[in-house]
Amino acid sequence: MTVAEIIIENGRLITIDARMGRAEAVALGDGRILAVGSNADMRALRGPETRIIDAGQCTVLPGFIESHIHLFPGGLELGLLDLSRSHDIETVTARVRAYSAEQPDVPLLYAIGAHYDLLGAGRKIDRHGLDRVMPDRPFAVMAADHHTVWANTRALELAGILHGGPVSDGSEIVMGSDGLATGELLEPGAYEHVLARTASGGRDLLGMTTGNDPVPPANPQQRAADKAVLRDGLRHLAKTGVTSFHNMDGNLYQLELLSEIEAEGDLICRGQIPFHLKNFDPIDRLAEAAEMRRRFDSDWLWSGRLKLFHDGVVESGTAAMLRPYPNWPDSTGAPLFAPEQFNEICVRADAMGLQISVHAIGDAAVRGTLDGYAAARAANGARDSRHRIEHIEVLHPDDLPRLRALGVVASMQPLHAPWGGLFAPSDEGQILHEDQKPLAYACQTIRETGVPMIFSSDWPVVPVEVLPSIGAAVAPKPLGGNWTDQRQDLQDALASYTATAAYAEFSEDRKGRLATGLFADLVILSDDIERVAPDELGSLAVQVTICGGRVTYDAG
């Protein structure tokens, strides 16, 4: 007789499985779900060593699948000064100087989370403002969106870029009329010079800035420090109910560190690490993606996906648009890849059987990505590729039907949208034209066309906690004007973090639902999610996380 290792009873199970529907108990053993049903159904599976968890009529769900994060910087930034709630120079100065006193020995003082109004509404962030904040030490701060870094004069001098420096296409060290850098560093090719001077040496963001491994290779002490950072990130994911993640930056170094953590028994969350190809890379580097796929292909750690950045972000004007920004009439941003180059990459990667995920925020970048996927289909024939587009913040009406026609998975982040409550909508005449707003952050509009929709945070851009994202999707803030209501049904939003996210990674037969035989990946919430008011969903907490039949987090 099979004996369960864990039985969860007295729960309100949302199985995300149409055949099963609702249930009140689930039995787990040998890393799998043994049975789903009633409390009485589970009695035959009890043994003297079975752990019984009383869910207390709270919701039990499949473990959350976080479909877009950056684990390494996310783990590192848990210990850094977060300025996301600071919006005036006086507050910033007080906090940075207090932090400086706590960090007397780091070569460059580094903070995170800055909004574009960090020094006050209408005040542009530059080195002069940051010199007032921190005049006597190198200091830099990362924007919340991770596409801009601002540095003071001492930090620019330390990095050797006060007078400018080399950058890759699509990045910019913004220069002032005095011939010196203003302190605004747009995109990774510009700010990597500064990150190399941080305490981590910038290793946490190499998977995004270059896609390469550390040069020179990390020494044993650095590898141990980096593994500790990754462990911190994994523990934080478990605390939020996440049992699988899709990383959106990647290099072999991260895979090797996580593989070591797996061998040591500490990989408490399943994860996929992609190969990141930059616009300055030769296309033959795709052979490295194939090698990563070959070497790493377990239930806990795998690759098999290519990540590309097609543009930047709308806030800094680096997102690629089909027409000029209303507040920057001479600029449309710029795609990071030429069309011919991008299409060739898509054709080659698709022919290799790789899944492709592309950061595309502006409507020109979204269109260019769709063109690349269309080119791959024309060259290689249609297949079950499940290629993804990440963000899709601005969409031209002509491209809406192309998403489904090309079999695209839409990967979106509710808390990035102005209706999500974390970022204020831009003023009229800023960032977006009025006629762009109906299809901006259009999660529900896209979902209604039949496109698979997955949700995520893009942590550390916003907090990785899942329930605030679900709350934002189900109860968006009303914006009025030309903004359209993108309100999600609760069950749809939950599926976007479970079953549909499993589909996006070709694992729908192994995870994402509570069904017999699937991985024992589950989360127990602090209340019955269906009895909580939509605008209160973000206040729910995770009580227990189980991954592979192992309790990875218990609130106690």
Side-chain angles (χ1 to χ4, degrees), residues 233-403:
L234 292 167
R235 283 191 291 268
H236 190 67
L237 291 181
K239 185 177 180 180
T240 67
V242 172
T243 55
S244 292
F245 68 91
H246 305 161
N247 220 49
M248 284 296 145
D249 64 90
N251 52 12
L252 186 59
Y253 181 63
Q254 286 187 70
L255 274 167
E256 289 177 342
L257 295 182
L258 288 167
S259 183
E260 292 175 14
I261 291 171
E262 180 182 12
E264 293 160 7
D266 294 333
L267 191 59
I268 58 174
C269 186
R270 308 177 196 273
Q272 182 189 40
I273 307 295
F275 175 76
H276 180 192
L277 189 75
K278 301 290 286 189
N279 58 348
F280 49 76
D281 285 325
I283 195 169
D284 288 344
R285 283 202 71 196
L286 287 176
E288 297 176 46
E291 178 65 8
M292 287 166 63
R293 175 176 59 186
R294 184 192 67 79
R295 287 183 56 187
F296 301 94
D297 188 27
S298 75
D299 291 339
W300 287 89
L301 183 63
W302 69 102
S303 189
R305 179 165 52 82
L306 172 68
K307 173 66 188 295
L308 303 164
F309 279 82
H310 212 312
D311 67 345
V313 292
V314 294
E315 290 81 2
S316 63
T318 55
M321 296 293 197
L322 292 170
R323 55 179 160 148
Y325 287 86
N327 52 319
W328 294 302
D330 296 326
S331 176
T332 59
L336 294 177
F337 290 89
E340 298 80 8
Q341 177 192 20
F342 184 80
N343 291 356
E344 183 184 4
I345 292 168
C346 289
V347 169
R348 179 88 66 91
D350 181 74
M352 294 169 63
L354 293 169
Q355 186 184 29
I356 307 170
S357 52
V358 179
H359 167 116
I361 283 183
D363 50 11
V366 174
R367 177 167 293 178
T369 302
L370 291 169
D371 290 346
Y373 292 167
R377 179 171 287 196
N380 304 325
R383 69 177 183 89
D384 185 16
S385 60
R386 307 185 196 183
H387 297 322
R388 303 167 45 151
I389 303 183
E390 312 298 318
H391 307 304
I392 318 179
E393 291 185 2
V394 188
L395 179 65
H396 190 280
D398 291 351
D399 293 318
L400 176 60
R402 299 181 70 200
L403 294 167

Side-chain angles (χ1 to χ4, degrees), residues 49-338:
E49 303 298 322
T50 301
R51 177 178 177 180
I52 306 299
I53 298 177
D54 186 346
Q57 298 303 308
C58 294
T59 295
V60 181
L61 288 160
F64 295 131
I65 300 173
E66 229 297 351
S67 296
H68 186 128
I69 66 164
H70 301 272
L71 177 66
F72 202 168
L76 181 76
E77 292 182 17
L78 292 171
L80 298 180
L81 175 64
D82 183 356
L83 294 174
S84 59
R85 297 182 182 275
S86 301
H87 302 280
D88 62 80
I89 193 168
E90 292 78 18
T91 301
V92 171
T93 299
R95 297 193 65 203
V96 170
R97 291 185 182 181
Y99 185 61
S100 176
E102 298 169 1
Q103 305 283 331
D105 299 322
V106 296
L108 183 145
L109 201 64
Y110 180 48
I112 58 163
H115 290 206
Y116 286 75
D117 63 350
L118 177 72
L119 301 183
R123 179 169 183 172
K124 191 171 180 64
I125 308 169
D126 60 17
R127 65 183 175 91
H128 302 295
L130 296 183
D131 286 346
R132 288 183 57 194
V133 171
M134 178 51 58
D136 53 3
R137 289 185 66 183
F139 169 62
V141 57
M142 174 72 80
D145 57 37
H146 285 67
H147 285 262
T148 300
V149 166
W150 295 278
N152 72 355
T153 301
R154 291 203 172 211
L156 295 168
E157 290 172 335
L158 180 66
I161 57 172
L162 180 61
H163 298 274
V167 298
S168 55
D169 287 346
S171 297
E172 182 183 2
I173 299 171
V174 179
M175 303 300 292
S177 58
D178 58 0
L180 301 177
T182 67
E184 185 177 26
L185 307 173
L186 301 176
E187 300 299 325
Y191 63 62
E192 64 180 344
H193 301 283
V194 168
L195 295 188
R197 303 293 181 165
T198 63
S200 72
R203 294 187 305 278
D204 56 302
L205 278 167
L206 278 178
M208 186 163 77
T209 57
T210 69
N212 292 320
D213 293 342
V215 178
N219 62 39
Q221 183 179 5
Q222 291 169 331
R223 289 180 72 92
D226 292 345
K227 283 168 65 176
V229 167
L230 290 170
R231 283 192 174 94
D232 287 344
L234 292 167
R235 283 191 291 268
H236 190 67
L237 291 181
K239 185 177 180 180
T240 67
V242 172
T243 55
S244 292
F245 68 91
H246 305 161
N247 220 49
M248 284 296 145
D249 64 90
N251 52 12
L252 186 59
Y253 181 63
Q254 286 187 70
L255 274 167
E256 289 177 342
L257 295 182
L258 288 167
S259 183
E260 292 175 14
I261 291 171
E262 180 182 12
E264 293 160 7
D266 294 333
L267 191 59
I268 58 174
C269 186
R270 308 177 196 273
Q272 182 189 40
I273 307 295
F275 175 76
H276 180 192
L277 189 75
K278 301 290 286 189
N279 58 348
F280 49 76
D281 285 325
I283 195 169
D284 288 344
R285 283 202 71 196
L286 287 176
E288 297 176 46
E291 178 65 8
M292 287 166 63
R293 175 176 59 186
R294 184 192 67 79
R295 287 183 56 187
F296 301 94
D297 188 27
S298 75
D299 291 339
W300 287 89
L301 183 63
W302 69 102
S303 189
R305 179 165 52 82
L306 172 68
K307 173 66 188 295
L308 303 164
F309 279 82
H310 212 312
D311 67 345
V313 292
V314 294
E315 290 81 2
S316 63
T318 55
M321 296 293 197
L322 292 170
R323 55 179 160 148
Y325 287 86
N327 52 319
W328 294 302
D330 296 326
S331 176
T332 59
L336 294 177
F337 290 89

